[in-house]
Amino acid sequence: MAGGYRDRVVTELAQNAADAASRAGVDGRLSIRHDGTTLRIGNVGAPLSVSGVQALSALRASDKDGGSIGRYGVGFTSVRALSDRIEIRSTTGSIVFDAARTRAELQARGLPEPAVGAPVLRLPWPLDEVPADGWDTEIVLNGVGDAAAVVEAAEREAVDLLLELDALTSISLPDVDITRSTAPGPGSWTEVRIGADRWWRGDAPCARWFLPLVGGEPSPVRRDVLRAPTRSDEVLTLPLLVVADVPLQPDRRRVLPGADLSTVATGYGDLVAELPAADRTAAVPVPGLPASGVDEELRAAIIDDLEATAWVPTAVGKPVRPADAAVLESISTEFADLLADVVPGLVAADASGRSGTRALISVGARRLGLAAVVEALSGLSKPPQWWRRIYGALADIVHDTADVDECAALPVPLTDGRTVTGPRTVLLVDGVDLGPIGWARVVHPDAAHPLLQRLGAQTVRPADLLADPALAAMLEDPDYVDEDLVHQVLTVAGAVGGTDTAPGLGALPLASSDGDVRAADELVLPASPLLAVMVSDHPFGVVADSVVQQYGSDALRVVGVGWTFGTVVDDEPTGPDHDLDDESGWWDSVTASSEHSAEPTALIAVRDLDLVDESQWAQALTLLVDRPETAAALRDRAGYTPWWLRRHARLQGTPLGLLRLPEDSTFTGLLDPVDHPRAPEFRSALAGVDVDDADTATDILTAAADPERSVSPAVAVTAHCVLASAAASSRLDVRDVDPPDAVRTLSGTVVDPSRVVVLDHAKWIAVIPPDRAVMGSLETAEALADLLDVETASSVLTVDVVSSGVTVVVDDHPLLAAMRAAVTWLVPDVVELHDRLTVRCEGIVAVTRDVPFWITDDGVLHLSGSVI
């Protein structure tokens, strides 16, 4: 039997000391010291009694109910592994077990010694020694081979022994005194301190449970042994140390087969319920394979007790059974507080960490996913600020696209008081409180959060809201347009941050100064500069002052109330149907000037130009170039706005199309320079090298016929080129132009058309005097003659060469050969060379004159010797 206790000497002696202290009702103290080969173990408590001696000598007898030694008398046999002479000194008397003396007694009686040796612990001998001062009982082991090793073992086991043996409060060793103290712990738990180690101790009906503390925080164990009450060999994987009253085999190493271990877990859940919320899940066994049958049975019993007990901490503070708990992993305290009255049994944030969640699920708690949380939030009526806090809490746990998909049905409060389903259906307006918006799903500003954008909400500007087709549709239906909608639109318009007109809002009804209600695009602002340039009988109304004061001029300009000229923009026009003055004329001019009669591909035009007072065009032009939108309409010379201005706008009574920039010398003397400081910015509306209507052509011809104007030959030629080009290209129908009463000749003089001809060949330049010739481009001479109602030179004049010449082969004449080398297009192989070339012209112009060259109808080139 001693073999089973060979390494349990210290444990068994400590158990005896604890029993003695418990019997006497005192705090147990144990002392273990050595002196060479002598080991001394002292304790306080009930001293040695007769029954105790009987129990010791009977081996398997126990006086648990009346003695001072352990549960089994056999436990004391462990000392035989160390000594053959065991003294038990006590204040009530002392005995000694001595192998040598027993062996001598057997020999004296003629009895043989047993094969296993003398029965040392069967014969107690009286002893006169007393225990050392301060101790009620002292066990002295003599002849211990390595007493120091026993003391060292005692030092290693001291903490466990003080933890396991409740009646023992201190163990004194040669170099240290190890004591146990207690202090209040959480709930019914007690904090136990042994040296530097600390535990929370919980007392259940059939066991004591110890949760280790490291750095003041609970630190569950992963592997230990069953303590009954001292350490056995039954390995456990429970998170707490357990000291339980469990029947063991005599050597105290294994549980007796068939022992009922389920009672050990009784009250375990109640103890866990009294731990701090953050530490309760630490008491749940970690899922895994049990280390033994005993471990398996204890784990099952503990889990059964946990599942049947309301111990899981919840966000509302009331604990519930695991089956009634719902855990959202790593939920924040704020989120848990928000969901406390939304999700029944929601586990408190302190217990929802990753390890805590796993523990709770292992005992039956329900895991919450994001989709379940979103479902729980559906149908709630909460203020926007509450929802923003929800989104802030969710932002910490929404990480990937799968999380985003689970939040697809998340409720979102809107500015109009509704709460709708799905962030992907709503709009965010960053940093602006626009009030209720009736035509769009705009998130309430107090609920706006970056998470919504991550979940699919679209971020828009106030201007984007005004461009919403839904708003345009509402404005088209009188049933939807009321004071609230008007107020909402103007509030959004005030937040646009500019004065650019938003398209499609011109129908918004607004109060005018005369008490009527008119569309926004039929009104102008009271201080509008447009009012100063329009005719007095213009059709616009003036918006009411009260509306201006409430919403501001900028907001009203955004919805289309006039301030300056408005524009019409159409990226795909299909016809002249934009209600612009003389739009059909412009449309026809574009198609007529196109080689393939193509219609305009885009339209950007200034409207209401026909309402400008004739005397206010200088200021009106300044307004046009000041505003980027209207200035843009002036960039394309072929566009509607420059086209209209050239024909209808006037400065000092002159159409813009007959005015030129001062630095443009194309029509110097023929057209007057424009007098306006911003003229370069509307150059497209001034005279150019294109004429595309009869009125402009007539005006240019009239200017050319004015003898008061000083026009250079070059300007005269340019003007005729421009006019002839327009007539030749069909941009101008000559039938719409009355022939002029006078024409400008090549010399710059003004004469009757009957006295001139249009030069239609270069040869006529040498024959016809400049004051009898009109010239443009030779290619368009016929069109110019038709426009001026003047004959071409070739059609009415004849020329004869009257001088005599000689035929010369060009290649044989050095100067002519050189001339042909320089201008091969002009000099043929053979020429008629005259000393003095004289020709006679007959017809409208009759003249005989010397000329440098002439080409006869048969193609012969005649040259005057003077040219070579």
Side-chain angles (χ1 to χ4, degrees):
M1 184 61 65
Y5 287 87
R6 61 188 179 277
D7 56 355
R8 297 181 59 88
V9 174
V10 175
T11 298
E12 295 302 329
L13 293 177
Q15 176 71 72
N16 290 343
D19 289 342
S22 178
R23 180 72 61 86
V26 299
D27 291 337
R29 292 183 294 113
L30 177 67
S31 171
I32 302 177
R33 302 178 183 279
H34 73 93
D35 180 10
T37 60
T38 301
L39 189 66
R40 302 177 184 276
I41 302 98
N43 68 270
V44 297
L48 184 64
S49 64
V50 173
S51 61
V53 173
Q54 293 173 344
L56 285 171
S57 59
L59 294 180
R60 291 189 177 274
S62 172
D63 76 338
K64 178 72 174 176
D65 294 330
S68 60
I69 55 177
R71 179 169 183 171
Y72 300 101
V74 294
F76 189 73
T77 61
S78 60
V79 298
R80 282 288 290 117
L82 300 178
S83 175
D84 288 339
R85 177 180 172 81
I86 300 102
E87 300 178 12
I88 303 176
R89 304 174 182 179
S90 185
T91 55
T92 56
S94 304
I95 62 173
V96 62
F97 294 104
D98 189 335
R101 190 170 179 180
T102 300
R103 186 177 299 109
E105 184 64 25
L106 289 174
Q107 293 174 353
R109 294 175 179 266
L111 296 175
E113 182 177 345
V116 296
V120 178
L121 297 181
R122 294 299 299 273
L123 296 175
W125 304 93
L127 183 68
D128 293 333
E129 301 291 341
V130 296
D133 291 342
W135 304 101
D136 295 320
T137 299
E138 184 179 24
I139 297 174
V140 180
L141 305 180
N142 298 277
V144 177
D146 193 352
V150 176
V151 174
E152 291 174 0
E155 187 171 353
R156 290 194 300 270
E157 297 176 28
V159 172
D160 279 332
L161 292 172
L162 289 174
L163 196 67
E164 297 160 349
L165 301 174
D166 202 31
L168 201 60
T169 60
S170 70
I171 296 177
S172 179
L173 299 165
D175 298 322
V176 61
D177 290 337
I178 302 175
T179 61
R180 184 185 69 234
S181 62
T182 60
S188 64
W189 292 72
T190 301
E191 183 172 316
V192 176
R193 300 182 182 183
I194 302 175
D197 297 324
R198 297 168 61 191
W199 297 261
W200 282 338
R201 165 183 161 172
D203 293 337
C206 299
R208 285 177 284 138
W209 298 93
F210 293 89
L211 178 58
L213 302 177
V214 176
E217 299 297 326
S219 178
V221 297
R222 290 292 175 259
R223 196 173 186 87
D224 196 63
V225 294
L226 173 66
R227 301 163 189 257
T230 54
R231 298 172 63 87
S232 70
D233 288 347
E234 299 288 1
V235 179
L236 302 180
T237 59
L238 304 180
L240 276 65
L241 304 179
V242 58
V243 179
D245 186 11
V246 175
L248 297 178
Q249 296 178 9
D251 60 2
R252 301 191 185 185
R253 294 182 179 277
R254 298 290 180 181
V255 174
L256 280 175
D260 182 10
L261 302 180
S262 61
T263 57
V264 174
T266 302
Y268 187 85
D270 292 332
L271 281 177
V272 173
E274 296 196 50
L275 287 172
D279 302 319
R280 294 180 194 177
T281 58
V284 178
V286 176
L289 294 175
S292 65
V294 170
D295 186 38
E296 181 177 17
E297 189 172 349
L298 284 178
R299 287 171 62 91
I302 288 173
I303 290 175
D304 287 344
D305 197 74
L306 287 172
E307 290 177 346
T309 306
W311 61 272
V312 180
T314 64
V316 296
K318 182 180 180 181
V320 298
R321 294 181 304 116
D324 298 324
V327 58
L328 178 60
E329 184 175 327
S330 300
I331 189 173
S332 66
T333 300
E334 181 183 14
F335 200 13
D337 291 343
L338 291 169
L339 296 179
D341 59 350
V342 175
V343 179
L346 179 66
V347 176
D350 289 347
S352 301
R354 178 172 298 180
S355 60
T357 298
R358 288 199 300 267
L360 290 170
I361 292 173
S362 71
V363 292
R366 176 170 58 99
R367 180 194 288 273
L368 280 181
L370 282 172
V373 173
V374 170
E375 182 179 1
L377 293 170
S378 299
L380 295 181
S381 178
K382 296 287 187 179
Q385 296 89 340
W386 186 87
W387 286 108
R388 179 179 175 83
R389 293 174 62 197
I390 286 287
Y391 304 148
L394 278 172
D396 294 333
I397 56 177
V398 173
H399 302 297
D400 52 30
T401 55
D403 295 338
V404 170
D405 291 341
E406 289 196 63
C407 294
L410 185 67
V412 184
L414 305 182
T415 58
D416 61 4
R418 294 179 296 154
T419 298
V420 298
T421 298
R424 293 172 183 167
T425 69
V426 302
L427 302 174
L428 285 165
V429 183
D430 189 25
V432 182
D433 185 358
L434 300 175
I437 304 295
W439 67 89
R441 288 185 163 195
V442 177
V443 179
H444 195 289
D446 291 342
H449 190 279
L451 174 70
L452 295 177
Q453 188 173 8
R454 290 172 54 196
L455 298 180
Q458 182 181 358
T459 299
V460 298
R461 303 167 302 161
D464 298 324
L465 292 177
L466 296 181
D468 192 329
L471 174 59
M474 293 177 72
L475 293 177
E476 291 175 0
D477 189 341
D479 292 339
Y480 284 108
V481 181
D482 55 18
E483 291 184 3
D484 287 341
L485 180 61
V486 172
H487 172 73
Q488 292 171 15
V489 172
L490 289 176
T491 299
V492 176
V496 167
T499 58
D500 295 342
T501 301
L505 303 181
L508 189 72
L510 300 173
S512 66
S513 59
D514 57 8
D516 291 337
V517 175
R518 301 182 64 176
D521 59 7
E522 297 176 1
L523 295 167
V524 294
L525 286 157
S528 167
L530 188 60
L531 282 177
V533 301
M534 286 196 300
V535 295
S536 59
D537 59 345
H538 64 80
F540 291 103
V542 177
V543 70
D545 287 338
S546 59
V547 179
V548 179
Q549 292 171 3
Q550 182 174 0
Y551 298 104
S553 297
D554 289 352
L556 294 170
R557 290 175 65 177
V558 168
V559 300
V561 175
W563 173 261
T564 185
F565 290 101
T567 57
V568 175
V569 179
D570 188 345
D571 293 332
E572 297 181 353
T574 58
D577 52 5
H578 302 88
D579 198 24
L580 297 169
D581 182 61
D582 201 8
E583 185 180 4
S584 295
W586 166 73
W587 191 274
D588 292 341
S589 73
V590 174
T591 56
S593 64
S594 172
E595 181 179 353
H596 302 290
S597 300
E599 296 181 338
T601 57
L603 171 69
I604 173 171
V606 179
R607 62 184 179 89
D608 304 322
L609 294 173
D610 56 315
L611 300 179
V612 175
D613 189 307
E614 287 289 336
S615 65
Q616 299 299 321
W617 268 112
Q619 179 59 29
L621 289 168
T622 299
L623 292 179
L624 288 175
V625 298
D626 273 346
R627 184 174 179 232
E629 289 78 4
T630 52
L634 293 170
R635 295 188 185 121
D636 181 8
R637 183 174 180 83
Y640 167 82
T641 304
W643 180 91
W644 192 96
L645 290 173
R646 290 196 298 271
R647 287 155 182 75
H648 304 289
R650 296 177 178 270
L651 287 176
Q652 291 83 44
T654 302
L656 289 184
L658 296 178
L659 295 173
R660 62 181 175 83
L661 287 173
E663 63 271 19
D664 185 356
S665 60
T666 304
F667 294 108
T668 300
L670 185 62
L671 300 181
D672 294 331
V674 65
D675 182 16
H676 193 287
R678 309 287 291 278
E681 297 174 66
F682 55 83
R683 65 172 64 242
S684 62
L686 301 175
V689 293
D690 53 346
V691 172
D692 52 11
D693 71 283
D695 289 342
T696 302
T698 299
D699 289 337
I700 292 177
L701 291 173
T702 300
D706 184 357
E708 299 297 323
R709 291 183 176 274
S710 177
V711 180
S712 70
V715 170
V717 170
T718 298
H720 289 143
C721 285
V722 169
L723 292 170
S725 175
S729 65
S730 301
R731 287 184 283 117
L732 178 65
D733 190 340
V734 297
R735 293 172 296 183
D736 296 332
V737 181
D738 293 332
D741 295 330
V743 295
R744 183 74 61 167
T745 68
L746 188 57
S747 67
T749 60
V750 177
V751 301
D752 187 281
S754 64
R755 299 189 69 247
V756 298
V757 292
V758 174
L759 305 186
D760 57 345
H761 193 283
K763 66 184 182 179
W764 294 109
I765 298 172
V767 176
I768 307 302
D771 60 351
R772 302 295 300 278
V774 174
M775 185 176 180
S777 169
L778 296 177
E779 289 79 6
T780 57
E782 291 289 345
L784 178 61
D786 195 16
L787 181 65
L788 300 178
D789 196 18
V790 172
E791 300 294 342
T792 61
S794 298
S795 65
V796 296
L797 298 179
T798 59
V799 174
D800 294 320
V801 177
V802 297
S803 61
S804 298
V806 294
T807 301
V808 177
V809 176
V810 172
D811 288 345
D812 297 335
H813 192 287
L815 293 180
L816 289 176
M819 181 182 295
R820 186 168 67 173
V823 287
T824 56
W825 57 270
L826 178 63
V827 181
D829 292 339
V830 178
V831 301
E832 288 290 321
L833 187 60
H834 300 251
D835 290 335
R836 181 178 177 182
L837 177 60
T838 304
V839 299
R840 180 173 55 246
C841 178
E842 294 181 351
I844 294 176
V845 178
V847 63
T848 299
R849 62 184 303 179
D850 293 340
V851 295
F853 73 95
W854 180 252
I855 301 173
T856 59
D857 291 340
D858 57 2
V860 177
L861 174 62
H862 295 261
L863 286 177
S864 171
S866 62
V867 302
I868 58 174

